[in-house]
Amino acid sequence: MKIEFLWFSGCPSHQVARHLLADAMASQGITASVDDVDATDIAIAKRLKFPGSPTIRVNGVDIDPGYSDPGDYTPRCRLYLTSAGLQGLPERRWIEDALQNALTSEA
């Protein structure tokens, strides 16, 4: 399982998102390593098609079920359209679902 956590230094939400990811992994007994990527540098952001901070991908797929590539990879904060409206963090359920789907596909 490949898990990526992408962020940029000006994002106030990335630390909370990192904890959300760690908690979701622990609750499912997942001990995979996480590629922690600082996408503050525009060249890195463009190469990784960084849609904003924080971004979590599992096996190359964004955890947001409604994700649409914005085509703009400028390092910036990301907003998620959650059940509670626009938020700076993804829903924990999305993280858990992405992890579970990856586990299921590996079985």
Side-chain angles (χ1 to χ4, degrees):
M1 181 182 306
K2 180 176 181 173
I3 303 170
E4 299 168 280
F5 182 83
L6 295 86
W7 55 280
F8 94 106
S9 61
C11 174
S13 301
H14 79 272
Q15 291 293 354
V16 176
R18 184 177 282 118
H19 290 294
L20 267 176
L21 174 59
D23 288 346
M25 290 173 65
S27 73
Q28 295 190 24
I30 296 171
T31 58
S33 64
V34 175
D35 293 336
D36 189 274
V37 182
D38 180 351
T40 303
D41 181 282
I42 188 73
I44 292 170
K46 285 183 179 181
R47 181 173 49 83
L48 297 174
K49 296 184 176 184
F50 177 62
S53 178
T55 289
I56 301 169
R57 295 178 182 148
V58 178
N59 291 341
V61 178
D62 195 284
I63 55 111
D64 180 350
Y67 177 73
S68 177
D69 187 335
D72 176 5
Y73 311 118
T74 306
R76 64 185 178 280
C77 292
R78 180 172 174 178
L79 290 176
Y80 292 89
L81 183 56
T82 71
S83 59
L86 287 176
Q87 303 288 321
L89 295 168
E91 293 190 26
R92 179 185 168 119
R93 173 180 53 82
W94 298 348
I95 300 170
E96 292 169 342
D97 289 349
L99 294 170
Q100 189 58 49
N101 289 340
L103 285 173
T104 301
S105 68
E106 290 177 356

